[in-house]
Amino acid sequence: MSEPKGKAKQVVELVPGLHHWTLNDSRLGGARSEAYAVVDDDGAVILIDPLPIDEAKLRELGDVTAILLTAGNHQRSAWRFRQSFGAPVWAPENAYGLENTPDFFYVAGNTLPGGLIPFHTPGPVASMYTLWMQKHPRGVAFVSDLLVREGDGTPEFVPSEYQDEPLRTRQSVQRILDHLAVDIVCFAHGEPILSDGASALRRALREDLEAPAAPSP
């Protein structure tokens, strides 16, 4: 099953309109995992890579109208919440390992519910996307599994043995810096960064101790 056991205890508002909950993921040996909800200007609630939580806590945010996945390995509670809320699931085109059929597939450049923009950031897997939005006055990036964060430290890359293309992961992070205005960074695993996120991404690249060399031409 894609859904971890247990439930998160609370939803925390990070900044106006951006909410977060976390739990220790039983499928990952108890490692920390994160989920998010965006409340649109019209009050619609969009769930991103949702983890188990009491549905009443999500209903308190408003009407859940869409569920977005950044990758196939982040199905989590999406299918159960689709049934509970009657909200469609959006997943990346060619997402691997989906246990059910999404209502919609997306590709780079589409506009998703809540005004989120998918930006193709492969590396951990081929079909992985960063979701970006402008939550005035801040740019918010949901970076999926590109990086993880331990406590309040510098974000780090997942060990190369757990990635399809570690070099491409680094290139994806650089492309985020080159093309997206990022202030808030929301990780799939680790405490979000709420200001000056671009500097944290640059620091992650600069302090990377396992950077793979580019192949010889």
Side-chain angles (χ1 to χ4, degrees):
M1 296 291 292
S2 63
E3 188 171 7
K5 297 177 181 178
K7 287 184 178 181
K9 296 181 178 180
Q10 61 180 341
V11 177
V12 175
E13 187 172 44
L14 300 175
V15 297
L18 174 59
H19 302 261
H20 164 245
W21 64 103
T22 184
L23 58 71
N24 294 328
D25 197 327
S26 57
R27 306 161 307 164
L28 304 175
R32 174 174 170 163
S33 292
E34 325 299 322
Y36 302 91
V38 170
V39 181
D40 202 359
D41 291 340
D42 62 3
V45 178
I46 298 94
L47 307 182
I48 299 174
D49 293 344
L51 290 162
I53 192 169
D54 187 340
E55 293 166 13
K57 294 185 181 298
L58 297 180
R59 295 185 191 278
E60 291 174 1
L61 302 179
D63 184 19
V64 177
T65 60
I67 301 166
L68 310 183
L69 305 182
T70 59
N73 60 311
H74 286 171
Q75 298 167 78
R76 298 170 167 182
S77 302
W79 311 117
R80 181 166 59 85
F81 285 166
R82 174 169 69 175
Q83 184 175 6
S84 298
F85 296 115
V89 172
W90 298 67
E93 186 174 78
N94 300 318
Y96 175 77
L98 294 175
E99 296 177 0
N100 282 289
T101 302
D103 300 275
F104 302 100
F105 288 99
Y106 67 78
V107 295
N110 290 161
T111 299
L112 303 180
L116 285 119
I117 303 297
F119 190 72
H120 189 210
T121 49
V125 296
S127 188
M128 179 166 286
Y129 283 77
T130 289
L131 303 182
W132 182 88
M133 64 181 294
Q134 184 69 39
K135 198 70 175 172
H136 186 75
R138 301 172 170 180
V140 183
F142 302 87
V143 298
S144 197
D145 287 338
L146 292 179
L147 293 157
V148 298
R149 189 175 185 228
E150 189 74 29
D152 60 358
T154 297
E156 298 179 349
F157 292 94
V158 173
S160 295
E161 62 191 287
Y162 301 116
Q163 301 187 55
D164 286 354
E165 297 181 82
L167 177 60
R168 205 173 184 191
T169 300
R170 276 77 176 172
Q171 293 170 341
S172 287
V173 172
Q174 185 61 58
R175 288 177 57 247
I176 290 173
L177 289 167
D178 291 343
H179 296 284
L180 301 179
V182 177
D183 192 43
I184 297 173
V185 181
C186 295
F187 304 94
H189 305 282
E191 187 70 20
I193 293 173
L194 301 184
S195 65
D196 201 16
S199 291
L201 298 185
R202 293 188 190 96
R203 193 163 59 250
L205 288 168
R206 187 171 63 248
E207 297 179 8
D208 181 17
L209 299 178
E210 199 183 334
S216 301

